[in-house]
Amino acid sequence: MQIREMTLKELEPIYDVLGQLRKELSYKEFEDLIYDMRHMEYKMIGLLERGELITYAGVAVQTNLYHKRHLYVYDLVTDEAHRGKGYAKEMLAYLVDYAKTAMCENIVLSSGFSKEGAHKFYEKNGFEKKSFVFLKVL
């Protein structure tokens, strides 16, 4: 098993896994957004087994007034064929080390209402529900 930063040359396998979480996202839109997010130091982290992408995390170190310096996890998904095998837990352990190395005080993420299994997973791994996210479509 290897966990490493993925490159822009690896967008297709990333999309294959990420698309299982972001079903509404076309490949073209995904590619455009990845390029747009470069300015915010969005990092694409992959957990690979024998060269195959198993778990993907899209993250960025950010600073704001309420979380201070933190690692924001935008995306965390394990390929459906490999779920329940501990890969996401391995990725979270890596992200904790990554955040500590980046001198972050917290790891922050948002998870949708329909993701109760994910919520239990996060709580089991030390995350607390702290707020609600509100969205207004324009």
Side-chain angles (χ1 to χ4, degrees), residues 24-118:
E24 73 289 346
L25 201 60
S26 71
Y27 180 82
K28 175 71 171 124
E29 189 176 22
F30 160 73
E31 186 178 47
D32 290 346
L33 290 169
I34 288 293
Y35 279 91
D36 280 352
M37 293 186 314
R38 289 186 306 169
H39 78 280
M40 59 184 263
E41 299 294 322
Y42 178 86
K43 303 293 183 194
M44 303 177 294
I45 310 292
L47 183 153
L48 298 99
E49 190 77 68
R50 291 185 285 283
E52 177 188 1
L53 180 62
I54 304 295
T55 300
Y56 173 78
V59 303
V61 173
Q62 299 183 337
T63 303
N64 61 32
L65 297 174
Y66 45 99
H67 296 303
K68 313 245 179 354
R69 185 172 173 88
H70 62 280
L71 182 68
Y72 195 90
V73 180
Y74 288 95
D75 311 291
L76 177 59
V77 60
T78 297
D79 185 279
E80 290 171 340
H82 300 283
R83 291 183 186 159
K85 299 178 183 175
Y87 291 112
K89 186 173 182 162
E90 288 288 329
M91 178 62 84
L92 274 183
Y94 176 88
L95 294 177
V96 166
D97 290 341
Y98 185 95
K100 287 178 181 177
T101 300
M103 299 173 54
C104 294
E105 294 185 36
N106 302 292
I107 298 178
V108 180
L109 58 84
S110 175
S111 182
F113 287 115
S114 64
K115 306 287 185 193
E116 287 186 37

